[in-house]
Structures are given as structure tokens and as C-alpha cells.
Amino acid sequence: MGLLHSLFKQMLSSMRDLAPVVIVFSLFQLLVIRQPLPPHVGVAELIIGLISVLLGLTLFVKGLEIGLFPVGENLAHAFARKASVFWLILFAFSLGFGTTIAEPALTAVAGKAGVVMSDAALIAPELEAQRQFAITLRIVVALSVGSAVVLGVLRILRGWPLHYLIIAGYALVLVLTGFAPDEIVGIAYDSGGVTTSTITVPLVAALGVGLATAIKGRNPMLDGFGLIAFASVMPIIFVLVFGLIGFGGGA
């Protein structure tokens, strides 16, 4: 009964979170666009879709609370107790790389990026070339997030100020943006956004908070967060550099 009650409360919370999205879509559809729905989409399909999204979001968030958050925090505690920096760094990189490769949002953006690069004649127009570019982009972004999580873990261990690293990161982004090909700039910025999505954020945040909790003298609120900021800016840097190396300057 306790689990059912908890799921019901989470469903109410998910309904509250989804309500603004539904209201915005409905208002623009009814008052601004005033176009009929696509032929294959009816009222029944809309209702089924909304219910599916609601159930999926509820189960996803509850799964994070029950399993992934505790596991991430316990692993961070265990590595901190063992005082093995090498294994902690290796785990941090693997966590960042693995969660990013599995990120659905990155898969969608990478697929569209392959089409855009093909239309811009920067890669061959064949579907295989688009697929290869999408895979390469996903690997580059995954490497960047793995590196970002490692940097975030080192920051927690060493007590480095977060704002200095963030300012330096975005300053580098501004410099690279001026030299990277125009076609890759938008892809790079979107890559930084999609990495802070449904799979990456919960596990990386759990790692940071758990690690800050386990280390004496660290405050989980002050030191445990910030890994997501690195996971957002580092992909932009990596993809811009990838564009410079692979396609030359565009300034």
C-alpha cells in the first residue's frame, strides 16, 4: 500500500509538471494555429499519448528515487572510503560516457545533425555517411561528458572553485565559436543541452552529492552540485574542436 500511495503522489506531481506544456500546446493550437490535427492523430490518440507520457514519467521518476539515486550515492561513498582516486576517476568517466551514449535525446539530435551536414555538402549524401557522422558525434559527446564528470569529481576532491572553471569553459566556447564552421556551431550548442537530460542528470547528480557527503569537510549543497554544469559546457567545446579538426575553420 505504501508503494501505491507513493506512486499516486508521484503521478499527481507529474500531472502538475506536465500541465503547463499541455496548456501551452492547447492554447496555441486553438487560438493561434487553428489548424486541424494530422489525419492519423485524433482525440483518442492524444488522450492515449498523454496518459502514456504521464505513466512513463511517473514510473521513471519513482525508479530514480528507488534505485538509481541510492546506487549512485552508495557507489560514491564506497569509492571515497577506499580512498582509491584511480578507480573513482575511472568510474566517473565510465558513468559519464555510458549514460551519454544511452541518452535518447542525443541519439535524436545526432541523427538530425547527420542530415544537416549532408544537406550542407560537408559529408556525403548517402545514408551510410549520415549514420557514420551521427555515431561519431555521439562518441565525441560521450567522451566530453566522461571528461566533464572526471573534472567535476576532481573539483570536489581538490576543493576548486566552481565559478572559475565555468567561466573559463564558456570563455573557451566563445573563442572556439568564432573559428568553427557555421554548420557545426548549432550542433555543438544543442549537444551541450541534450546531455543534461533524463538519463545523465540523475546519475551524475547522485555521484556528486554522494561523493561530497562522503568526504570530510565537503558540503553536499555547495560541493555536490556543479557536475551537470560541466556536462553541459564540455560537449560544446569538444564538438566545436571536432568541427575545426574535421571540417576546417568557418570564420
Side-chain angles (χ1 to χ4, degrees), residues 198-250:
T198 52
I199 296 179
T200 307
V201 169
L203 289 173
V204 171
L207 172 65
V209 173
L211 188 61
T213 304
I215 298 177
K216 185 178 180 180
R218 294 289 180 265
N219 187 322
M221 289 299 296
L222 298 178
D223 301 309
F225 292 93
L227 271 71
I228 306 303
F230 293 128
S232 177
V233 68
M234 198 70 80
I236 304 176
I237 296 173
F238 270 56
V239 175
L240 289 175
V241 172
F242 165 64
L244 282 168
I245 294 174
F247 305 101

Side-chain angles (χ1 to χ4, degrees), residues 92-114:
F93 179 83
S94 301
L95 179 68
F97 185 90
T99 54
T100 305
I101 283 290
E103 189 65 65
L106 177 60
T107 303
V109 168
K112 291 294 183 183

Side-chain angles (χ1 to χ4, degrees), residues 18-239:
L18 287 173
V21 179
V22 175
I23 292 172
V24 168
F25 272 95
S26 300
L27 288 176
F28 273 83
Q29 173 67 25
L30 295 174
L31 302 178
V32 180
I33 302 176
R34 297 181 180 179
Q35 294 291 326
L37 295 172
H40 60 282
V41 178
V43 176
E45 284 78 8
L46 283 176
I47 294 175
I48 293 173
L50 285 173
I51 293 175
S52 300
V53 170
L54 177 62
L55 292 176
L57 183 61
T58 300
L59 293 175
F60 175 75
V61 174
K62 181 53 62 177
L64 293 178
E65 294 177 355
I66 293 175
L68 293 185
F69 272 126
V71 168
E73 293 179 6
N74 288 338
L75 284 172
H77 278 279
F79 281 117
R81 285 196 301 269
K82 288 180 179 296
S84 175
V85 176
F86 171 78
W87 289 111
L88 177 59
I89 294 299
L90 181 61
F91 171 71
F93 179 83
S94 301
L95 179 68
F97 185 90
T99 54
T100 305
I101 283 290
E103 189 65 65
L106 177 60
T107 303
V109 168
K112 291 294 183 183
V115 176
V116 170
M117 297 297 283
S118 177
D119 292 341
L122 292 177
I123 62 174
E126 290 79 15
L127 290 177
E128 181 61 24
Q130 298 176 16
R131 189 180 70 86
Q132 289 296 332
F133 177 84
I135 293 174
T136 304
L137 181 63
R138 289 176 62 192
I139 293 174
V140 169
V141 175
L143 289 172
S144 71
V145 176
S147 303
V149 178
V150 169
L151 179 61
V153 168
L154 289 175
R155 182 193 70 82
I156 295 173
L157 294 176
R158 304 300 182 187
W160 296 336
L162 174 64
H163 54 284
Y164 290 153
L165 296 174
I166 296 298
I167 292 172
Y170 278 103
L172 183 57
V173 166
L174 289 175
V175 173
L176 291 173
T177 299
F179 294 95
D182 294 338
E183 293 80 5
I184 209 73
V185 171
I187 296 172
Y189 279 76
D190 281 347
S191 298
V194 298
T195 53
T196 55
S197 192
T198 52
I199 296 179
T200 307
V201 169
L203 289 173
V204 171
L207 172 65
V209 173
L211 188 61
T213 304
I215 298 177
K216 185 178 180 180
R218 294 289 180 265
N219 187 322
M221 289 299 296
L222 298 178
D223 301 309
F225 292 93
L227 271 71
I228 306 303
F230 293 128
S232 177
V233 68
M234 198 70 80
I236 304 176
I237 296 173
F238 270 56
V239 175

Side-chain angles (χ1 to χ4, degrees), residues 1-10 62 66:
M1 290 298 294
L3 179 59
L4 291 177
H5 179 68
S6 177
L7 282 173
F8 179 74
K9 289 181 62 177
Q10 182 57 56
K62 181 53 62 177
I66 293 175

